[in-house]
Amino acid sequence: MDEIRDDSPTYDIVEDIDALRTALAAHGITLPSLGVDPLTLAGWSKHPPLVALGNCNVVTARRLAEALRVGAGG
């Protein structure tokens, strides 16, 4: 089993998820299932848990794609 070393980076994944939720909301996008992936959280050792983006409907997927396209300058 991997152990967490004292020099391992720390992560505040809740803060990161809140920042993502806020950025998405600025584009009118809500991902209802946005949160911490419970499987990777349970097995976290030296790597941070994954962010679960969750499922969304096609309208939300289109809005997200459009926001990313515009943000990329296209």
Side-chain angles (χ1 to χ4, degrees):
M1 178 187 220
D2 294 329
E3 62 182 68
I4 298 174
R5 300 179 351 208
D6 289 338
D7 62 347
S8 296
T10 58
Y11 301 91
D12 185 354
I13 194 163
V14 174
E15 192 173 293
D16 295 326
I17 290 170
D18 287 344
L20 178 56
R21 183 176 286 115
T22 299
L24 290 168
H27 293 278
I29 299 168
T30 301
L31 296 176
S33 300
L34 182 62
V36 180
D37 175 65
L39 294 176
T40 58
L41 179 62
W44 184 19
S45 58
K46 61 184 173 187
H47 302 289
L50 297 175
V51 175
L53 297 176
N55 298 322
C56 66
N57 62 34
V58 69
V59 173
T60 301
R62 287 178 185 153
R63 293 181 81 178
L64 182 56
E66 177 66 11
L68 291 170
R69 185 189 64 73
V70 170

